[in-house]
């Protein structure tokens, strides 16, 4: 089984998305999957220019021969695709969206009705099933609402399936091992287990997802702590990534 993942956080290995993704992929690897992960920020990927030459002139081939040529192949050769993105302005990062836009050469231009809805015909390329892995700064789970809805729509558009979403609000809790050792340990163990569950069951248990996204600190205390953190960052003139 092949898993292809992208980390679409511009902070790459310094960010919380990376921590969560690493744990998830570790679990998947331990369960026997072949895993490949790419930091989009380190790749050369231009915006889609909307020419649609990839549909009408050179079917399946984009006018831009940049790193997406290789990444598109990795995408279609995988059984599962994991999109790792932090929440940016209630959605995915620009890196994630640009990657997804640039998958358009894989799409068949012709339309058909699917469940009474106008869709593109199913791609001739094998499209992997999708997993969303995301972190966000605020502490409520509903901050992922727009992103999860978007991924559900994308999976419907690509005529594939969103297997599930690995979501960690209050992302910086992932580096608070000293303050919240038990919770951080449980979140990390559950994230590893989620990777294993994907390989062994093709789904995630509710218990695992709930442990990953668990509330660790009541909102009022979280807000006070976050504001102290901002005081310190402003004093130092530096955000710790
Ligand atoms: C430009 C920008 C926009 C953000 N927008 C949101 C947001 O809408 N909601 C939220 O909860 N967090 C938001 N955040 C916080 C990030 O999701 C959070 O810091 C996350 O840990 C960043 O990912 P990283 O650690 O991989 O860099 C935003 C951060 C940035 C830099």
């Amino acid at each position: 089984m092949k898993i292809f993942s992208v980390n679409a956080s511009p902070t790459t290995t310094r960010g919380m998305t990376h921590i969560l993704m690493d744990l998830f992929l570790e679990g998947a690897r331990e369960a026997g999957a072949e895993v490949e992960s790419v930091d989009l920020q380190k790749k050369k990927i231009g915006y889609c220019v909307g020419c649609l030459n990839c549909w009408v002139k050179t079917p399946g081939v984009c006018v831009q021969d940049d790193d997406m040529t290789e990444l598109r192949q990795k995408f279609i050769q995988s059984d599962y695709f994991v999109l790792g993105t932090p929440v940016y302005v209630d959605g995915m990062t620009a890196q994630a969206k640009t990657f997804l836009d640039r998958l358009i050469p894989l799409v068949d231009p012709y339309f058909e009705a699917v469940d009474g809805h106008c869709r593109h015909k199913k791609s001739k390329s094998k499209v992997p099933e999708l997993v969303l892995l995301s972190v966000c700064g605020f502490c409520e789970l509903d901050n992922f609402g727009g992103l999860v809805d978007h991924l559900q729509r994308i999976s419907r558009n690509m005529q594939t399936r969103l297997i599930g979403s690995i979501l960690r609000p209050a992302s910086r809790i992932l580096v608070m091992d000293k303050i919240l050792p038990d919770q951080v340990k449980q979140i990390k163990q559950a994230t590893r287990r989620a990777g294993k569950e994907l390989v062994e069951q093709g789904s995630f248990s509710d218990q695992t997802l709930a442990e990953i996204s668990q509330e660790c600190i009541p909102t009022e205390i979280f807000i006070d702590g976050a504001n102290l953190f901002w005081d310190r960052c402003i004093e130092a003139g530096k955000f710790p990534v």
Side-chain angles (χ1 to χ4, degrees), residues 54-95:
C54 62
W55 285 0
V56 298
K57 193 173 172 188
T58 53
V61 180
C62 180
V63 288
Q64 301 184 65
D65 186 15
D66 56 12
D67 287 336
M68 268 315 285
T69 308
E70 190 193 355
L71 297 181
R72 226 180 274 116
Q73 289 308 308
K74 292 185 190 300
F75 179 81
I76 57 174
Q77 285 161 7
S78 63
D79 300 297
Y80 295 117
F81 171 69
V82 186
L83 177 69
T85 176
V87 173
Y88 267 25
V89 197
D90 284 294
M92 64 182 71
T93 61
Q95 287 81 349

Side-chain angles (χ1 to χ4, degrees), residues 56-151:
V56 298
K57 193 173 172 188
T58 53
V61 180
C62 180
V63 288
Q64 301 184 65
D65 186 15
D66 56 12
D67 287 336
M68 268 315 285
T69 308
E70 190 193 355
L71 297 181
R72 226 180 274 116
Q73 289 308 308
K74 292 185 190 300
F75 179 81
I76 57 174
Q77 285 161 7
S78 63
D79 300 297
Y80 295 117
F81 171 69
V82 186
L83 177 69
T85 176
V87 173
Y88 267 25
V89 197
D90 284 294
M92 64 182 71
T93 61
Q95 287 81 349
K97 187 59 169 53
T98 302
F99 174 88
L100 293 170
D101 288 351
R102 291 288 308 284
L103 293 178
I104 206 80
L106 300 175
V107 173
D108 185 320
Y110 287 100
F111 293 176
E112 66 179 359
V114 180
D115 300 329
H117 241 277
C118 182
R119 298 265 164 243
H120 285 287
K121 286 200 167 176
K122 207 168 166 59
S123 171
K124 287 183 191 74
S125 311
K126 182 176 87 53
V127 177
E129 294 189 306
L130 311 181
V131 171
L132 170 66
L133 179 144
S134 187
V135 300
C136 78
F138 293 141
C139 58
E140 301 86 2
L141 204 49
D142 67 3
N143 289 291
F144 295 103
L147 182 56
V148 172
D149 181 59
H150 195 180
L151 258 290

